Amino acid sequence: MNKYGDVETGDEYKDSGDAESQALLSSSPESNSDPGVASRPARTSSCSRICSRPRVHLSVAYLGGLLTAGLIQLLLCPPQWLFPSASGGSVHHASEDLVPPYVGSSEVHHYPPMSPTNAFPSLFPTSVGHAGPTPTGAEPALVATAPSYPLHTGAAHLLSPSFTGSSGEDIQFDLFRHWGNLSPWFSVEKDAFGLDSSPGVPETCRVTGLHLLHRHGARYPTGWASYGGPANFSARLNKAAAGWNASGDLSFMNEWTYKLGEEILTPFGRQQLYDLGVSMRMKYGFLLKNFTEANMIPVFRTESQDRMLASALNFAIGFFGYPFEGQYQQSITIEDPGYNNTLAPYKTCPNANQPSKADRAQPYLREWASIYLKDALARLGPQLHGYDLTIEDVYTLQQMCAYETVAIGYSKFCELFTAEEWKGFNYAMDLYFWYDSAFGSPLSRALGIGYTEELISRLTHNPIATHNTSTNGTLDDDPVTFPLGQSLYVDATHEVVVLHVITALNLTTLASTGPLPADHIPEHRSFKASHLAPFATNIQFQLLSCTSVPDPQIRVIINDGVVPLTGVRGCPEQKDGMCPVSAFVEAQREIIRETDWEYVCHGDWDVPPGSAWNTTIGMPPAQQR
């Protein structure tokens, strides 16, 4: 049996040929039925004539064996010239060259074992006393005390390939910043959103509070995708494994298996949220003194999906240390149909499940992919024999690079593309999220308005008056599960919800160059998914008290980039992005009044296909009255 599980045939033919020869050579003269020959006296010439007959038979049999073996070999392993592939003129390689049947299949390592034989929890407690000295020190306040603000590079545990220019020289290219929403969180450039201001506390000001909204960490891909999707592609490869193989840059796929799970955090994703928790404690730990003085502990929120809860708990370990029990309370809201939840608002918005309304990005994404991946398809297609690669497949290989890297640390798929093609992929993610989740989506403002209501409730210390969006009256009206008047709030959600909230807040500077075209990358664009919605993306709503201005101030800081608030009615142009809390609140209340959840989520409206209609404020076509 060879390495592909096929039975080897060479020794079989040899053994059968030897047996046949022995059977022919063992024939005796007595078997001859010619009486005349038997009665003649023995002579040399007669002996030669008689002995030659077995040799003739042997020769004929030998030649027949060779022909039979050749015919079988021809049928089992046809040469390339006999049966050329019908797909694209590529040839079908011999069976010993085809990939093993496991290629493309899912590889799963179950850990921990279900019932380990050596597990005795009572003998291994997590605390045995004898902790030694445990006095605490002062809380860190880096955001207020350090001369500069520490930046986050985002990918210490991951490895990227190197890139070369058109002349073969090495070029500086940060791949991890060109994966759109699949990028690991990093600190954006100081003026990424148009303000040359540090997220550190402005002069004359001090921090009085923080509202933090963040995304979960790096995860495995979802099991579904309307375009692309690693799980879909690997399943197709595995199903067709008996008919293809790869060469050149793709030769590694001849032994490749699909090593990705589904949706839960990767080890790197856990590290991201731990790091984010440590980072926030170092910057804002001093706010915990307010809780000690009030004899209370904070309430942080997340929702019930596995990666969301795991992200929140890893954040807590980073922020509070282990064990974190008794230091805060974790509210876990339910993400499922029928449960109002501002951290998963689409679950109670029926129109969010209508592709014609909720998935506007598809034609834009397909058009752009056909442009920026044209050369990549021409380059990679001939290297996969017996399988016709499509533009969508090549796009999926780019997705595979990102997902494999954040899951297992490095991916050979990353080496397949040029820096320019990665810039194209990054823009494809911009198109996808602009039209499906942010300013270009007709649903986004309504889907983000519930969290906006909660933010205003916390800023004003007043309960939500009316629950007619995605807010949850049971939880939000209870001061235990939704406390008011605290100086620190932390909420964990999805990247799409972060984009919904950005849209609902009317941060128009982020939409100033939209709508996005599908036929080229604008030279300067204000909307970048890698800046706004990477893994572990975070928004700091920073509250300030300043001696230079009379009123409490608020700033919005996204991934360490200060966002101008000039699109918010009543907020002035200010070099550090500050706006009076009162003006910010009033502007948001106006947006809340103007947002009709019932019409957006339950109304019978349509969006014209393509670019015939567009929005830059996340609203559907106006209701006909």
Side-chain angles (χ1 to χ4, degrees):
M1 180 173 291
N2 65 18
K3 65 178 181 179
Y4 303 131
D6 299 324
V7 176
E8 298 286 4
T9 55
D11 289 340
E12 288 184 313
Y13 292 141
K14 179 181 178 182
D15 293 343
S16 63
D18 290 345
E20 187 175 8
S21 298
Q22 291 299 323
L24 290 169
L25 290 173
S26 63
S27 301
S28 62
E30 287 79 2
S31 66
N32 194 322
S33 58
D34 186 350
V37 172
S39 62
R40 291 183 186 135
R43 291 185 299 179
T44 302
S45 59
S46 298
C47 180
S48 298
R49 185 171 58 251
I50 295 170
C51 293
S52 68
R53 291 179 180 176
R55 292 175 182 170
V56 172
H57 293 166
L58 177 59
S59 299
V60 172
Y62 182 73
L63 291 173
L66 289 176
L67 290 173
T68 302
L71 180 61
I72 294 175
Q73 182 72 12
L74 187 64
L75 292 174
L76 291 178
C77 306
Q80 298 174 7
W81 55 264
L82 187 57
F83 297 110
S85 170
S87 58
S90 61
V91 295
H92 193 303
H93 282 218
S95 62
E96 61 264 27
D97 293 329
L98 299 178
V99 297
Y102 61 77
V103 169
S105 64
S106 295
E107 185 174 338
V108 178
H109 301 156
H110 292 291
Y111 185 85
M114 293 292 291
S115 301
T117 58
N118 66 333
F120 300 98
S122 62
L123 299 180
F124 298 91
T126 56
S127 177
V128 297
H130 307 278
T134 59
T136 62
E139 282 293 344
L142 189 152
V143 72
T145 60
S148 61
Y149 191 94
L151 301 181
H152 184 74
T153 57
H157 304 285
L158 310 181
L159 185 65
S160 167
S162 58
F163 290 87
T164 57
S166 56
S167 302
E169 75 283 4
D170 290 338
I171 60 173
Q172 294 297 318
F173 179 73
D174 191 344
L175 177 61
F176 301 144
R177 298 190 179 203
H178 291 84
W179 285 343
N181 71 312
L182 304 181
S183 295
W185 161 51
F186 59 93
S187 295
V188 300
E189 295 82 3
K190 189 176 181 181
D191 61 349
F193 305 126
L195 277 180
D196 186 20
S197 177
S198 165
V201 180
E203 292 183 9
T204 77
C205 300
R206 63 181 180 86
V207 173
T208 60
L210 175 71
H211 298 246
L212 180 71
L213 178 67
H214 70 81
R215 183 193 179 190
H216 58 76
R219 58 163 172 80
Y220 294 120
T222 60
W224 59 271
S226 56
Y227 186 75
N232 298 338
F233 180 64
S234 66
R236 292 196 299 272
L237 281 183
N238 179 244
K239 185 176 180 180
W244 66 269
N245 72 0
S247 61
D249 294 334
L250 297 181
S251 59
F252 71 93
M253 294 181 65
N254 291 328
E255 295 290 329
W256 174 78
T257 56
Y258 185 69
K259 300 175 180 65
L260 305 177
E262 186 173 329
E263 300 199 17
I264 65 172
L265 290 186
T266 68
F268 174 69
R270 297 196 297 268
Q271 180 70 45
Q272 283 186 292
L273 267 297
Y274 175 83
D275 287 346
L276 183 61
V278 172
S279 174
M280 289 301 136
R281 182 65 176 262
M282 294 299 296
K283 295 178 177 70
Y284 296 101
F286 66 94
L287 293 175
L288 293 176
K289 291 191 294 183
N290 298 328
F291 291 90
T292 300
E293 292 170 358
N295 196 27
M296 302 177 72
I297 55 177
V299 173
F300 294 173
R301 296 191 308 167
T302 187
E303 43 101 321
S304 58
Q305 284 198 346
D306 185 276
R307 67 183 179 276
M308 209 65 60
L309 178 56
S311 292
L313 296 182
N314 278 282
F315 179 94
I317 294 173
F319 192 88
F320 294 107
Y322 179 84
F324 52 66
E325 286 81 2
Q327 300 194 60
Y328 88 119
Q329 298 181 103
Q330 184 70 63
S331 174
I332 306 171
T333 60
I334 296 175
E335 176 168 350
D336 246 337
Y339 294 89
N340 273 25
N341 190 338
T342 61
L343 303 178
Y346 36 79
K347 289 296 183 181
T348 49
C349 180
N351 281 342
N353 297 311
Q354 299 293 324
S356 62
K357 298 177 173 66
D359 197 12
R360 291 191 67 221
Q362 286 307 305
Y364 296 90
L365 180 57
R366 291 177 184 275
E367 180 182 349
W368 173 240
S370 69
I371 295 171
Y372 88 91
L373 288 175
K374 180 180 178 181
D375 291 344
L377 177 63
R379 184 175 67 248
L380 298 175
Q383 299 181 42
L384 198 60
H385 316 284
Y387 185 100
D388 280 340
L389 277 179
T390 65
I391 286 288
E392 184 174 355
D393 290 332
V394 179
Y395 170 81
T396 308
L397 297 183
Q398 291 189 298
Q399 289 183 308
M400 200 81 75
C401 156
Y403 278 118
E404 280 197 344
T405 300
V406 299
I408 58 179
Y410 185 78
S411 174
K412 290 286 288 183
F413 290 104
C414 300
E415 302 173 11
L416 302 178
F417 301 95
T418 66
E420 289 302 313
E421 287 162 350
W422 282 117
K423 292 176 183 177
F425 179 78
N426 197 44
Y427 185 63
M429 296 294 95
D430 296 343
L431 287 170
Y432 182 80
F433 284 98
W434 170 272
Y435 288 105
D436 270 20
S437 304
F439 299 96
S441 163
L443 294 160
S444 58
R445 174 181 284 192
L447 293 174
I449 208 67
Y451 185 86
T452 302
E453 291 180 278
E454 292 177 334
L455 176 63
I456 299 308
S457 174
R458 288 166 166 175
L459 290 174
T460 61
H461 308 167
N462 290 311
I464 297 172
T466 305
H467 295 283
N468 56 4
T469 62
S470 59
T471 59
N472 188 304
T474 302
L475 297 175
D476 287 355
D477 286 346
D478 190 332
V480 175
T481 54
F482 191 78
L484 301 176
Q486 298 192 345
S487 59
L488 177 64
Y489 296 94
V490 178
D491 296 320
T493 188
H494 303 270
E495 83 271 40
V496 295
V497 181
V498 170
L499 293 173
H500 298 334
V501 171
I502 289 172
T503 305
L505 292 174
N506 203 34
L507 303 182
T508 56
T509 56
L510 303 178
S512 60
T513 60
L516 301 183
D519 58 352
H520 70 282
I521 302 177
E523 184 177 355
H524 302 289
R525 64 189 189 277
S526 57
F527 183 88
K528 294 182 180 181
S530 58
H531 285 183
L532 301 174
F535 284 130
T537 192
N538 56 93
I539 305 180
Q540 301 176 34
F541 297 93
Q542 194 181 70
L543 301 179
L544 304 166
S545 176
C546 308
T547 59
S548 57
V549 289
D551 302 315
Q553 303 288 307
I554 187 171
R555 291 206 298 171
V556 177
I557 301 167
I558 302 177
N559 296 321
D560 296 334
V562 183
V563 180
L565 298 181
T566 51
V568 179
R569 188 189 301 275
C571 290
E573 289 190 22
Q574 205 276 338
K575 64 183 181 65
D576 293 309
M578 295 193 302
C579 177
V581 172
S582 57
F584 181 85
V585 166
E586 186 53 41
Q588 299 307 322
R589 282 175 170 165
E590 182 179 352
I591 292 174
I592 292 169
R593 289 192 297 268
E594 293 174 351
T595 304
D596 189 342
W597 170 275
E598 185 65 26
Y599 172 67
V600 176
C601 286
H602 298 269
D604 183 14
W605 49 269
D606 292 307
V607 175
S611 58
W613 174 89
N614 267 306
T615 177
T616 58
I617 58 172
M619 292 287 283
Q623 186 173 6
Q624 299 297 319
R625 299 188 183 278

